Each structure stands twice: as structure tokens, then as C-alpha cells.
């Protein structure tokens, strides 16, 4: 997100300079009038619309408003900026009113500032992005966008033009302060003044803006309910491909387009309600989409698939997850719809498969770091290919499921058969440069209550045809919203069971049990316990991640997890497992991240019939464990203990738990980890390319701290057997794992698996590694297994697969 650090004066600020003429020549010179100054169009923030009739007699809207827009390709920061207003004919005592602003305007987006309300009107503004109490005139006045929050002092057009704090200014009605030769006429209780199509800014208010029906739009693309324009009766001159254009952002963003023709190809009456239309007379440009979503707000759409319609509406860009870096969706908001005919044939869907999906995922970003303004090249880049089909009917055939059906009734399929296949039918994520181009999310248009959604596991197949408009989802990437779903072919994926261990083999496992608390249903405990007993074969040591305190997410200061662990140990015993003992260190309240109030931590379970725990007092939430002694006498200063818990690397994150065990008379040190999450990272399909992995910085720091601790332990005893396990929230090829294994103090066992088995988690259709088991050099023999029982299945006890290693200390 780019925030300007200082106002950038535009050429209109250098207006008329006083002409200095020698006195002797003054009488003989006839000076020609200087032309009015005209600036180049603004590159980013400007005033898009002004309305002062809110709540007045005859008005529909209750409030005055000022709408800002951003023509640029990067977010425009508004912290420290303001919108200001002064009356049409300011006198000596007139003062500018101020509304401070915060946040930012998305590239190509809008920002709505609500001002004072009147007694009349029936319609609320859409949720404003900022609010003030300025009472704008319905007919005449001046509004300015100002860098700063101190009131302006200028009261003439020339003085305001010379003030470098003024970024943009709109005078309307009879206002004496305006840009250019004249203010904008036509404002009233029922009419705003707004930028014309394309958001022109020539510094001529009367030329750049015009009066019309108020169309307030907020940063989410929401419009005022009930302020629908009149339904069109004739096709307009603008077609869908004109609106979509050859980049991701529509040039007509923020303007109302009239009579756009199309055939309804899909209807959605839940979530983001609306319908898709597609032009039956496409242009010849493969970069311009012929489909478009029409957003109906809270109202259920009244059209049907096959209706030929004319739509008048406001062109908006909607970012499903702006802060997460998502792509935008071009749509028509606040629509007026006329159904011309019904029962029309639909355009043929574009078949999406190996033949037309490009092998290169993303184009290079433009100067702003995004691909927003980059001309689409759908034959070369995957993201451009999908964007060129936004809103259009697409089709996949006989596609393999690569992420199981989730609780939101979504699944992922592989449309490109050349993507890297896992052993069990998923798609392997093997490097940042290879994100698997054929991944598509599939939803359905119908409500699940009306049409069940298939419950599929990884490796199942949607046979036949799955087709519908191509959308973009806030929790994933490009999404096929199916009107027609293929039939589910169940390929009977089985949950794995690890190989049995020998009598002399020590088994160490790791399992992220996903926010387990005593308040969870017994069924969850039973399912997790079955994973430990049946599928992991009751390991000698189990490092658990995401054990919550006794009352889970209730945020009341509780940190003890004894009830949670007692319930889990009892469930394991009931499933036929051993009577595990446990060790842990309670965290400080609210200091370890995770679900607020949950106080998640790592815990060691161990089977006292097979392995003993070496208890060394002194381990607390804030006490750093250290190494004492050398050679065979080397030991921890606290067991269990936490590695450098006060180090900044662990701020708001789980601290590693280390314990000293003894197996058949041999010492083993086990570290249970849960590094910070990837929250805040930009997605691989982000508009920012290459996407920023901001959370990676902290994981690298965490890995560096832990590597130093292991190195110190090995320096004290070069034969020390160290096993580091857990949810590291990063890939085997990541900088964090490189930092953890630096100088060979640990080796990552996932690298020793066959390539097609290297995964423990599935996200956005990619089977990937987040969980690891690493061992020190002297461990030597290590039989490692990722036990696939969760991540590939619609029914999950956790979203992670557990892992286990068999070693011979």
C-alpha cells in the first residue's frame, strides 16, 4: 500500500504570475489576456461526486456526501488528508469546514464521505468510509480535497489554486471558487455534480463534471438501496467488452452506463447477490471479456438464466479481499434491468483445459507493483487468461478434485493435466515459481438446500461437464460458479496407517489438532484420538500444536489447559491407546497469538511405559531454557522449557517447547514448534506480483533463534540426538527452513520422501508442506512418514496431516 508522503503540486498551482512591466513601457504595451491554466489529468486521487441536497425537500437520500476516486494503479493513502467545504460566496467571516479522512482509496476504487443529514429523504447512504457534519448547499458551494486537516484560508479561485495543500477542487452552482472558467451548473436537491465518463480532470470544473442523479458508492462498490435509475428501453452504445477493457480495471469505473445488452448466464441469490450477463456479439479481441456480474445488493435477482436484458448501472471495481491483495471484479452496481425476451440460448462456454491454459502463471507487475494496469496477454499468462474470461461462461470436463469439499460447499479441481500430481491425486506445490496453473475453485449457483453440493475427497473426479460463469473468490482465486455440475466419481481415497515400529525404535510424532479445547464436542476428541491410536500407532512421544486453555476462545484470563489434556488423554485410552502422561508450559495470557482467548500452546504427550521424561524445574512462560554441561553430561537447564521466549522473534507467536527424554537409557531432546502463521501474506494469485510474503520475516527470525539453540546444544555434545517437530507454517524450499537447517545442525526429513509424497496440508488446491520433522546429524537412522488422514478429506479432525518418525537412539 503506497501512501503519499507529501502533496504533489499540480500545474494549476503555478497559475498567473504578476507581470512586471517597466514604467516607461506601460503606456505603449497592450497586454493580451493570459489563457486559463489547464493541468494534466490527475494520476490518482480526485473528487468524483458532490451532493448537497441530502435530506432536503424532494430528496431521496438522507445525507449530503462527497465521493472520492483513485485513477491510479496503487492505493492512495488518506491518513492526514481532509475534505473541506466553503459557501458559494465567502465573506470576510466565512470559514472552511473540515472532515478528516483515514484509510485509503483502492486503485480504481471509490471512497465515500458522508456529511450532514436533513429532515427529509428516505434512503440511507451505503456504509460510508468516513463521516463528517458539513452542511453542503444543495445548489452552490465549493469542495476541496486537501493534504492536511487545518482549514484552508483561501477565498478566491486564484488563492486556492496557489495553495499547494489543495489536491483537487470542485465549485458548483454560483460558487466563486472553482477550477477553470466556470463552476458546474445544475446541482439541486435531487441532482449531484459528478465527473464524466473516464474521470477527466482538465482543471475545468464545468467541462469535467456534470449534474445528474446522485450515485453514492463506497469503497466496497456498494450503492444506496432503492436509488435505482430508470430501466432502459433501448440498447446503449457501450458493450460489455468496452466496460471490461484490456486491463483489470475498467476505464469507466464510477460512471453509469446505460442499456448494456446481454443474456443472463447465471443467477446467485446468496452471498454477493446478483447475476451474470454475456454479450452474444463479441468483439475479436481475446483480451476483452464478454461477461459481467450485475450486483443487486441485498435484493434477490428477479431475472432468469436465458433472459435477454438491458442493464443500466454504475461501473464499479470490487475487491473481495483488498488488504489481502486480491484481484478486483468489474461489475455493474445499482442496476436498472429491462427483460427484453426469455428462453434465449446461452453463448457456448469456453472450455478451460491443458490446451489453452498458459504455462506461465503471472505477468510482471507495472511500476506500481501490481498487474492492474498491465495489458492482458491471455495466450501467455495464466492470470491474464482467467481475467480475460471474467464473468464469461467457462467449462471443465472430467476434472480431478485436488482439494476436498469444505464447509462452505467449495472444492478445487485441476483443469490442466500437466500440473504436478501428488501420489494420491492432488497437486504438489514445489516452488514459488510453480503455483500449478490449472487450479480452479468450484462453487454452485443454487443454494445447497435446493441442490446438494458433491462431498468429494482429493482424487475424486467430476465427470462430464461442469460449467458456469468465471468469478473471483475472496478466500481463493478464480472460481467457476457452476450452473451445471459434473457427476461425482468416488475414487475411495483411504486414510493412511503408518508402518509399525520395532521394539528398539523410538517413535516421535507431531499433530496440529486445530484449536482443541475442553469445550469441544466429544466427537472431535474421539476422531483425533483415533488418529493417534489407529493411524499413528500410538507413538512414544506426540508433540501437539494448538492445544487451547480449558475454556477455549472465552477470553477471561484462563491459561491452564489441564482439562483439555485430561479429556484428550482419556479419549486416546478409550480408543485403545496407552495412558499418556504430558508436559507443557502455560503461556502468558494473550501473548502467543492464535484464536483470541484460546492461549494455544505446544504439549508433549509421552507413553511412560516406553519413554521417560526428564523433569528439570525452572521452565516458565518467560524463562529461557539453556544448555548445561558438556558431552554425556549435557542437559537442559529446564525441562520442559521454552526457547528464548522473550526474544522479539516470538512476539505474539508460539514459543518452542523443548523437553529432555530418555529411551532405553539414551538421551533424546525433542523440540515442539508452531511458527507464526502466513496471515497477512499476499496470495499467489494476488494483483501484486511477485506477491509479498510479509509473515516470512518473522519465521526466518524464529528459525534463526532455534538454529542457534540447537547449534549450542550440539557444541556442548556433538552426539546429541535432537528431534525438532511441528507446524512450521512454511515450505521445505522456504528461506525459513533454510535458516533452520543452516550449517547442517538439522536435516529436514521431508526432503527424503519420494517427491510425490511431500505434503501435509492442502490450500487453494495445492498440496504443500507446512509441518516438518527435522533431526540432528547423530540421529542417523530415521524412518519418516506423513500420515494422510485429514488434509485430503472432506471430513477432517484437523486441517493438518500428522507425521511420525522412527529412530534408533
Amino acid at each position: 500500500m503506497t501512501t503519499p508522503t507529501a502533496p504533489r503540486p499540480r500545474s494549476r498551482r503555478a497559475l498567473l504570475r504578476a507581470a512586471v512591466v517597466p514604467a516607461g513601457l506601460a503606456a505603449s504595451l497592450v497586454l493580451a489576456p493570459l489563457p486559463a491554466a489547464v493541468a494534466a489529468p490527475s494520476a490518482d486521487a480526485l473528487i468524483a461526486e458532490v451532493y448537497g441536497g441530502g435530506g432536503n425537500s424532494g430528496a431521496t437520500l438522507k445525507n449530503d456526501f462527497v465521493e472520492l476516486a483513485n485513477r491510479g494503479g496503487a492505493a492512495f493513502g488518506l491518513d492526514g488528508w481532509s475534505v473541506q467545504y466553503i459557501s458559494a460566496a465567502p465573506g470576510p467571516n466565512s470559514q472552511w469546514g473540515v472532515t478528516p479522512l483515514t484509510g485509503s482509496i483502492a486503485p480504481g476504487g471509490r471512497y465515500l464521505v458522508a456529511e450532514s443529514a436533513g429532515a427529509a429523504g428516505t434512503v440511507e447512504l451505503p456504509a460510508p468510509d468516513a463521516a463528517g457534519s458539513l452542511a453542503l448547499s444543495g445548489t452552490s458551494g465549493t469542495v476541496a480535497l486537501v493534504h492536511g486537516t487545518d482549514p484552508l484560508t483561501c477565498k478566491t479561485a486564484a488563492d486556492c489554486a496557489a495553495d499547494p495543500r489543495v489536491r483537487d477542487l470542485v465549485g458548483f452552482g454560483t460558487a466563486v471558487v472553482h477550477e477553470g472558467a466556470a463552476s458546474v451548473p445544475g446541482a439541486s436537491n435531487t441532482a449531484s455534480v459528478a465527473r464524466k465518463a473516464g474521470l477527466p480532470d482538465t482543471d475545468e470544473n464545468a467541462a469535467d463534471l456534470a449534474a445528474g442523479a446522485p450515485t453514492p458508492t463506497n469503497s466496497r462498490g456498494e450503492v444506496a438501496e432503492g436509488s435505482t435509475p430508470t430501466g432502459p428501453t433501448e440498447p446503449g452504445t457501450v458493450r460489455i467488452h468496452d466496460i471490461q477493457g484490456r486491463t483489470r480495471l475498467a476505464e469507466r469505473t464510477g460512471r453509469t452506463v446505460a442499456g448494456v445488452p446481454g443474456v443472463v448466464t447465471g443467477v446467485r441469490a446468496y452471498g454477493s447477490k446478483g447475476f451474470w450477463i454475456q454479450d452474444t456479439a463479441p468483439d475479436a479481441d481475446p483480451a476483452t471479456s464478454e461477461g459481467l456480474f450485475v450486483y443487486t445488493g441485498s435484493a434477490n435477482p428477479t431475472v432468469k438464466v436465458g433472459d435477454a436484458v438491458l442493464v443500466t448501472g454504475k461501473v464499479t471495481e470490487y475487491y473481495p479481499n483488498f488488504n489481502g491483495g486480491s484481484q478486483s471484479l468489474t461489475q455493474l452496481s445499482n442496476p436498472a434491468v429491462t427483460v427484453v425476451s426469455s428462453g434465449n440460448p446461452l453463448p457456448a462456454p469456453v472450455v478451460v483445459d491443458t490446451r489453452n491454459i498458459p504455462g506461465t502463471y503471472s505477468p510482471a507487475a507495472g511500476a506500481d507493483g501490481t498487474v492492474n494496469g498491465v495489458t492482458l496477454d491471455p495466450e501467455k499468462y495464466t492470470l491474464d487468461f482467467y481475467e480475460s474470461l471474467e464473468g464469461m461462461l467457462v467449462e471443465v470436463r472430467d476434472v480431478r478434485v485436488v482439494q476436498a469439499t469444505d464447509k462452505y460447499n467449495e472444492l478445487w479441481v485441476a483443469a490442466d493435466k500437466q500440473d504436478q500430481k501428488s501420489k494420491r491425486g492432488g497437486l504438489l506445490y514445489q516452488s514459488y515459481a510453480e503455483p500449478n496453473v490449472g487450479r480452479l475453485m468450484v462453487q454452485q449457483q443454487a443454494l445447497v438446500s435446493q441442490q446438494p453440493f458433491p462431498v468429494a475427497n482429493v482424487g475424486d473426479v467430476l465427470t462430464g461437464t461442469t460449467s458456469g460463469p468465471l468469478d473471483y473468490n475472496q478466500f481463493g482465486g478464480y472460481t467457476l460458479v457452476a450452473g451445471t455440475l459434473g457427476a461425482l466419481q468416488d475414487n475411495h481415497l483411504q486414510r493412511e496407517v503408518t508402518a509399525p515400529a520395532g521394539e528398539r525404535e523410538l517413535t516421535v510424532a507431531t499433530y496440529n489438532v486445530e484449536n482443541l479445547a475442553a469445550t469441544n464436542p466429544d466427537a472431535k476428541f474421539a476422531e483425533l484420538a483415533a488418529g493417534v491410536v489407529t493411524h499413528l500407532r500410538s507413538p512414544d512421544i506426540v508433540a501437539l500444536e494448538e492445544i487451547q486453555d480449558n475454556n477455549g476462545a472465552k477470553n477471561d484470563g484462563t491459561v491452564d489447559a489441564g482439562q483439555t489434556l485430561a479429556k484428550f488423554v482419556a479419549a486416546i485410552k478409550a480408543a485403545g491407546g496407552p495412558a499418556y502422561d504430558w508436559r507443557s508450559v502455560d503461556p502468558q495470557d494473550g501473548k502467543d497469538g492464535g484464536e483470541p482467548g484460546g492461549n494455544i500452546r505446544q504439549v508433549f504427550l509421552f507413553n511412560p511405559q516406553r519413554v521417560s521424561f526428564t523433569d528439570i524445574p525452572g521452565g516458565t512462560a518467560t524463562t529461557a531454557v539453556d544448555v548445561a554441561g558438556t558431552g554425556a553430561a549435557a542437559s537442559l537447564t529446564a525441562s520442559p522449557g521454552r526457547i528464548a521466549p522473550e526474544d522479539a522473534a516470538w512476539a505474539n507467536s508460539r514459543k518452542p517447547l523443548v523437553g529432555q527424554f530418555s529411551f532405553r537409557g539414551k538421551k533424546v531432546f525433542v523440540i515442539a514448534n508452531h511458527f507464526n502463521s502466513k496471515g497477512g501474506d499476499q496470495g499467489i494469485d494476488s494483483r501484486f506480483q511477485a506477491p509479498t510474503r510479509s509473515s516470512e520475516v518473522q519465521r526466518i527470525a524464529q528459525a534463526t533463534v532455534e538454529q542457534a539453540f540447537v547449534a549450542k546444544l550440539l557444541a556442548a555434545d556433538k552426539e546429541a540426538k535432537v528431534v525438532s517437530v511441528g507446524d512450521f507454517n512454511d515450505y521445505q524450499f522456504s528461506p525459513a527452513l533454510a535458516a533452520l537447517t543452516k550449517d547442517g545442525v538439522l536435516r529436514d526429513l521431508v526432503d527424503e520422501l519420494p517427491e510425490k509424497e511431500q505434503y501435509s496440508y492442502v490450500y487453494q488446491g495445492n498440496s504443500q508442506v507446512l509441518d516438518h520433522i527435522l533431526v540432528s546429524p547423530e540421529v542417523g537412522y530415521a524412518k519418516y512418514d506423513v500420515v494422510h488422514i485429514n488434509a485430503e478429506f472432506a471430513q477432517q479432525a484437523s486441517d493438518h496431516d500428522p507425521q511420525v518418525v522412527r529412530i534408533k537412539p
Side-chain angles (χ1 to χ4, degrees):
M1 183 177 296
T2 302
T3 302
T5 57
R8 291 176 287 179
R10 297 164 59 192
S11 60
R12 68 164 174 264
R13 307 302 168 220
L15 284 176
L16 305 180
R17 292 185 175 88
V20 180
V21 182
L25 297 178
S28 60
L29 288 179
V30 178
L31 298 179
L34 293 174
V38 178
S42 172
D44 38 45
L46 44 66
I47 298 168
E49 187 171 1
V50 176
Y51 176 61
N56 292 351
S57 176
T60 300
L61 295 170
K62 294 181 178 181
N63 288 73
D64 301 341
F65 69 85
V66 177
E67 185 179 310
L68 307 178
N70 181 4
R71 292 165 49 97
F76 186 93
L78 290 173
D79 290 349
W81 289 69
S82 63
V83 162
Q84 302 196 19
Y85 169 75
I86 199 167
S87 59
N93 296 322
S94 299
Q95 294 183 339
W96 287 84
V98 178
T99 298
L101 307 176
T102 58
S104 64
I105 319 175
R110 299 286 164 141
Y111 184 100
L112 184 64
V113 185
E115 298 294 359
S116 82
T122 57
V123 175
E124 301 283 353
L125 295 176
D129 302 297
S133 57
L134 302 180
L136 279 59
S137 166
T139 56
S140 299
T142 302
V143 173
L145 175 60
V146 180
H147 188 265
T149 56
D150 291 336
L152 297 172
T153 57
C154 58
K155 295 179 183 178
T156 67
D159 287 346
C160 288
D163 191 329
R165 295 177 297 161
V166 178
R167 184 54 168 269
D168 192 25
L169 183 145
V170 171
F172 58 98
T174 59
V176 299
V177 179
H178 52 74
E179 289 182 350
S183 56
V184 190
S188 70
N189 289 348
T190 57
S192 67
V193 295
R195 297 269 167 192
K196 296 177 181 177
L199 298 174
D201 184 14
T202 64
D203 289 346
E204 287 285 348
N205 281 168
D208 295 339
L209 296 95
T215 55
T217 305
N218 64 14
S219 60
R220 291 175 53 85
E222 297 168 336
V223 297
E225 298 294 341
S227 57
T228 306
T230 304
T233 58
E234 298 291 336
T237 59
V238 176
R239 308 299 287 253
I240 293 173
H241 48 253
D242 298 324
I243 296 169
Q244 289 281 15
R246 306 191 77 246
T247 67
R248 286 167 170 78
L249 301 180
E251 291 184 2
R252 292 174 171 81
T253 300
R255 304 317 310 151
T256 296
V257 290
V260 179
V263 170
V264 177
T265 58
V267 177
R268 184 166 59 200
Y270 65 90
S272 181
K273 296 180 180 179
F275 58 93
W276 289 269
I277 59 174
Q278 188 165 330
D279 200 326
T280 56
D283 65 8
D285 189 344
T288 57
S289 171
E290 302 294 341
L292 191 64
F293 185 66
V294 181
Y295 174 61
T296 58
S298 61
N300 287 324
T302 56
V303 297
K304 303 183 298 297
V305 172
D307 284 351
V309 296
L310 299 174
V311 182
T312 294
K314 191 172 187 175
V315 180
T316 54
E317 291 288 347
Y318 170 58
Y319 288 86
N321 184 3
F322 178 76
N323 290 331
S326 76
Q327 306 272 350
S328 67
L329 281 168
T330 303
Q331 59 188 27
L332 291 182
S333 300
N334 197 29
V337 183
T338 300
V339 177
V340 178
S341 62
S342 298
N344 296 282
L346 304 185
V350 175
V351 178
V352 176
D353 61 16
T354 305
R355 294 170 296 177
N356 57 7
I357 301 175
T360 304
Y361 194 66
S362 174
D368 63 351
T370 79
V371 294
N372 278 343
V374 177
T375 301
L376 300 178
D377 190 346
E379 295 182 358
K380 186 173 182 180
Y381 300 110
T382 307
L383 289 180
D384 288 2
F385 171 70
Y386 291 138
E387 179 66 22
S388 74
L389 300 175
E390 179 191 282
M392 292 179 62
L393 283 178
V394 298
E395 175 182 303
V396 293
R397 300 172 181 169
D398 299 324
V399 284
R400 190 175 77 254
V401 175
V402 293
Q403 182 164 333
T405 304
D406 63 21
K407 63 183 179 181
Y408 304 106
N409 298 296
E410 303 163 338
L411 55 80
W412 289 73
V413 297
D416 188 341
K417 291 180 171 57
Q418 293 183 351
D419 280 336
Q420 299 295 320
K421 188 176 180 181
S422 75
K423 182 180 179 179
R424 288 158 59 88
L427 291 179
L428 290 172
Y429 186 46
Q430 297 178 304
S431 76
Y432 295 123
E434 299 177 287
N436 292 313
V437 298
R439 297 169 300 108
L440 277 179
M441 180 186 279
V442 175
Q443 301 172 330
Q444 69 180 16
Q445 296 171 32
L447 294 169
V448 176
S449 60
Q450 299 169 340
Q451 174 182 317
F453 190 75
V455 180
N457 297 325
V458 167
D460 292 348
V461 176
L462 290 183
T463 62
T465 294
T466 298
S467 65
L470 190 65
D471 199 38
Y472 186 89
N473 184 277
Q474 72 181 99
F475 300 112
Y478 287 95
T479 303
L480 193 163
V481 188
T484 300
L485 267 170
L488 180 64
Q489 174 184 300
D490 184 352
N491 284 342
H492 306 290
L493 187 71
Q494 299 298 307
R495 301 182 199 271
E496 292 185 333
V497 177
T498 196
E503 177 66 22
R504 293 179 177 273
E505 289 181 322
L506 173 68
T507 52
V508 182
T510 174
Y511 199 172
N512 182 322
V513 292
E514 196 176 11
N515 291 328
L516 185 65
T519 53
N520 289 153
D522 292 346
K524 178 172 182 177
F525 280 88
E527 197 169 356
L528 289 167
V532 172
V533 175
T534 302
H535 299 278
L536 293 175
R537 296 186 185 268
S538 300
D540 299 321
I541 302 170
V542 184
L544 301 173
E545 299 88 55
E546 295 199 12
I547 290 291
Q548 291 194 337
D549 62 35
N550 292 330
N551 57 22
K554 186 176 181 180
N555 199 355
D556 62 354
T558 299
V559 294
D560 180 69
Q563 295 174 22
T564 302
L565 288 163
K567 188 172 180 178
F568 192 28
V569 166
I572 291 173
K573 192 170 182 179
Y580 280 110
D581 200 350
W582 73 81
R583 295 292 187 274
S584 186
V585 174
D586 288 340
Q588 290 179 289
D589 184 37
K591 297 291 187 180
D592 278 22
E595 187 176 34
N599 289 312
I600 59 174
R601 82 290 307 274
Q602 296 89 267
V603 174
F604 293 123
L605 301 186
F606 62 95
N607 180 356
Q609 300 303 312
R610 292 267 303 162
V611 64
S612 62
F613 190 88
T614 305
D615 287 294
I616 302 172
T620 72
T622 58
T623 303
V625 67
D626 205 348
V627 179
T630 59
S635 68
L636 303 176
T637 59
S639 176
R642 303 178 104 194
I643 297 175
E646 298 286 78
D647 192 287
W650 309 108
N652 199 37
S653 182
R654 284 69 57 183
K655 288 73 176 170
L657 180 72
V658 59
Q660 186 170 317
F661 294 84
S662 179
F663 177 71
R664 302 179 72 87
K666 298 295 184 180
K667 211 178 323 184
V668 179
F669 301 95
V670 182
I671 306 173
N673 299 275
H674 190 182
F675 282 14
N676 76 298
S677 78
K678 291 182 174 294
D681 287 6
Q682 294 164 353
I684 55 179
D685 56 3
S686 169
R687 65 182 182 275
F688 296 95
Q689 292 293 333
T692 298
R693 300 183 295 272
S694 57
S695 69
E696 186 178 80
V697 175
Q698 187 174 3
R699 283 192 299 281
I700 294 171
Q702 293 174 341
T704 301
V705 171
E706 182 165 324
Q707 189 272 351
F709 177 82
V710 176
K712 186 173 184 179
L713 184 55
L714 295 180
D717 178 9
K718 65 180 181 180
E719 296 185 358
K721 312 310 192 280
V722 182
V723 184
S724 182
V725 306
D727 177 2
F728 291 87
N729 267 313
D730 225 332
Y731 315 118
Q732 70 274 35
F733 51 80
S734 68
L737 269 295
L740 188 59
T741 56
K742 182 182 176 183
D743 299 330
V745 302
L746 294 169
R747 79 180 199 265
D748 193 353
L749 296 180
V750 74
D751 294 326
E752 300 174 14
L753 286 178
E755 186 178 77
K756 290 190 174 183
E757 297 178 23
Q758 294 180 6
Y759 62 95
S760 64
Y761 190 81
V762 184
Y763 180 67
Q764 292 188 352
N766 276 325
S767 295
Q768 55 196 250
V769 177
L770 293 184
D771 310 87
H772 301 256
I773 294 181
L774 305 97
V775 295
S776 61
E778 286 300 315
V779 168
Y781 173 96
K783 296 297 183 182
Y784 167 70
D785 190 15
V786 179
V787 186
H788 300 299
I789 61 174
N790 289 319
E792 299 170 307
F793 294 88
Q795 175 61 40
Q796 300 178 339
S798 166
D799 51 349
H800 290 252
D801 285 331
Q803 306 180 351
V804 63
V805 64
R806 309 193 310 272
I807 64 174
K808 293 181 178 179

